[in-house]
């Protein structure tokens, strides 16, 4: 079990302050790397992969790892396109929340801070995070399925994928995300691994830690001697392995960490 854990509801109690102060002390002037998952965007109104109760029938009826695959797209391009169009509308309406903004603030207190995200919503970029590694691409830009031609100005609300306009390519457009069964961009993955292997503190925020190879990054950091800190309202398979588990939402815990850092 982690040496220490802080529960969101007890942040006001000394136990929580103790855990927050401990982590803040590690973060001050540190080389820090952060891995975020869908949980950090939940307070911006974007449901996580596990919150099926918040999604339309599309999400409840189909398994995301079925829809988020090349095979799923080839089998039923219209269905996959509509699912992404639905999510793109949610993302377009979303704004960075206190958690995203606190990570930008954290840059002032760390010697170096790099954010590695599994999210495809670009809310870290919107919040102002500069050193961002998007492991799984983004949902807001598109390329064609067969030859990777980038596409601009793709309207929302289409019921099926448009064809690529690139010199009569005609292949169907797809979002610039990494699907299950597709390799992550090698340069981005190796950069993320280097950040994990060279940081002193590794924050794991809002991820169930189930998807590889992203889920291996905390272990890369721990093997290199970094302090592992998890921020999540629920326990995950990682919780047992971290140095400190800060139980709570990103929108509460991260600003509380900044408040602690201000006192050091
Ligand atoms: C790869 C983009 C090499 C798309 C995503 C068989 C065949 C092929 C591959 C595999 C296979 N078996 C295993 C694999 C590997 C596979 C994998 O890991 N599968 C899993 C399911 C076992 N990985 C891959 O395929 C990767 N590529 O391995 O390439 C290869 C190539 C060919 C063949 C073999 C290998 C590619 C993986 C990338 C997939 N794309 N996203 C899209 O978004 O549509 S993954 C997607 O799901 C997300 O990006 C994210 O990574 C994942 C969801 O995880 P989380 O972000 O953690 O979200 P989740 O909902 O699960 O959890 C939310 C957490 O937040 C919870 O813990 C909750 O408690 C917490 N929370 C809630 N509220 C808050 C909060 N936390 C803080 N604050 C709050 N307020």
């Amino acid at each position: 079990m982690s040496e220490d854990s802080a529960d969101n509801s007890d942040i006001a109690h000394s136990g929580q302050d103790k855990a927050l102060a401990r982590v803040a002390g590690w973060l001050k002037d540190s080389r820090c790397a952060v891995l975020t998952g869908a949980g950090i965007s939940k307070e911006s109104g974007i449901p996580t992969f596990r919150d099926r109760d918040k999604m339309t029938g599309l999400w409840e009826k189909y398994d995301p790892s079925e829809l988020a695959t090349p095979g799923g797209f080839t089998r039923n391009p219209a269905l996959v396109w509509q699912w992404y169009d639905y999510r793109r509308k949610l993302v377009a309406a979303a704004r960075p929340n206190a958690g995203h903004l606190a990570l930008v603030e954290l840059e002032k207190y760390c010697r170096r801070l790099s954010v590695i995200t599994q999210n495809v919503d670009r809310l870290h970029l919107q919040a102002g995070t500069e050193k961002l590694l998007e492991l799984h691409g983004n949902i807001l830009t598109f390329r064609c399925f067969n030859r990777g031609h980038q596409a601009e100005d793709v309207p929302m609300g289409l019921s099926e994928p448009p064809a690529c306009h690139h010199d009569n390519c005609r292949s169907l457009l797809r979002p610039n995300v990494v699907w299950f069964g597709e390799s992550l961009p090698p340069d981005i993955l190796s950069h993320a691994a280097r950040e994990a292997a060279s940081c002193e503190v590794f924050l794991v925020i809002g991820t169930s830690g189930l998807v590889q190879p992203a889920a291996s990054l905390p272990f890369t950091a721990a093997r290199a001697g970094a302090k592992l800190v998890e921020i999540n309202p629920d326990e995950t398979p990682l919780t047992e392995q971290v140095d400190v588990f800060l139980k709570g939402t990103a929108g509460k815990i991260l600003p509380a960490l900044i408040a602690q850092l201000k006192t050091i």
Side-chain angles (χ1 to χ4, degrees):
M1 184 54 192
S2 54
E3 294 161 38
D4 208 336
S5 67
D7 177 84
N8 205 7
S9 56
D10 298 343
I11 275 189
H13 299 164
S14 61
Q16 306 311 325
D17 282 350
K18 191 164 64 72
L20 285 164
R22 193 150 169 247
V23 173
W26 292 341
L27 286 168
K28 187 96 176 88
D29 302 328
S30 72
R31 279 185 67 121
C32 175
V34 183
L35 174 67
T36 64
I40 198 170
S41 294
K42 187 167 172 203
E43 290 157 276
S44 294
I46 300 176
T48 65
F49 280 76
R50 298 168 18 139
D51 287 345
R52 295 181 180 212
D53 55 324
K54 299 275 187 307
M55 300 295 276
T56 67
L58 262 189
W59 191 290
E60 278 149 9
K61 277 205 308 273
Y62 299 92
D63 170 2
S65 58
E66 254 312 291
L67 289 170
T69 61
F73 182 75
T74 315
R75 279 190 296 278
N76 193 335
L79 174 67
V80 174
W81 183 265
Q82 287 161 29
W83 186 56
Y84 278 95
D85 191 59
Y86 165 79
R87 290 173 59 194
R88 188 179 161 205
K89 283 179 190 145
L90 285 176
V91 168
R95 294 291 168 270
N97 64 59
H100 296 104
L101 298 171
L103 278 187
V104 179
E105 182 82 1
L106 184 59
E107 288 174 21
K108 295 180 196 150
Y109 297 94
C110 296
R111 204 164 72 247
R112 178 183 171 83
L113 176 72
S114 50
V115 178
I116 304 159
T117 190
Q118 300 171 84
N119 298 341
V120 295
D121 56 34
R122 313 212 102 167
L123 288 180
H124 284 300
L125 283 179
Q126 241 187 81
T129 289
E130 273 149 29
K131 289 198 197 66
L132 179 67
L133 296 169
E134 292 178 311
L135 294 178
H136 297 157
N138 75 83
I139 203 172
L140 300 176
T141 63
F142 299 84
R143 65 175 188 269
C144 75
F145 188 79
N146 290 348
R147 294 165 62 189
H149 296 134
Q150 290 300 314
E152 308 293 331
D153 313 324
V154 178
M156 278 197 240
L158 301 178
S159 57
E160 52 188 38
C164 176
H165 290 314
H166 208 88
D167 52 28
N168 61 50
C169 166
R170 308 307 302 155
S171 163
L172 295 181
L173 296 190
R174 54 158 291 174
N176 267 328
V177 295
V178 178
W179 277 330
F180 288 102
E182 292 185 323
S183 300
L184 277 61
D187 51 334
I188 294 181
L189 181 58
S190 54
H191 191 169
R194 282 199 307 277
E195 294 296 333
S198 59
C199 70
E200 292 157 312
V201 188
F202 195 88
L203 302 181
V204 188
I205 306 170
T207 180
S208 57
L210 299 173
V211 172
Q212 296 296 350
S216 303
L217 291 170
F219 299 100
T220 303
R223 273 197 303 278
K227 294 287 188 193
L228 271 193
V229 180
E230 182 178 33
I231 297 170
N232 198 313
D234 299 333
E235 295 199 2
T236 70
L238 190 65
T239 306
E240 286 292 311
Q241 333 255 338
V242 300
D243 296 291
V244 173
F245 173 51
L246 296 172
K247 184 176 169 62
T249 62
K252 275 225 171 60
I253 299 278
L254 287 168
L257 272 177
I258 298 298
Q260 282 289 341
L261 278 158
K262 285 190 171 131
T263 66
I264 302 177

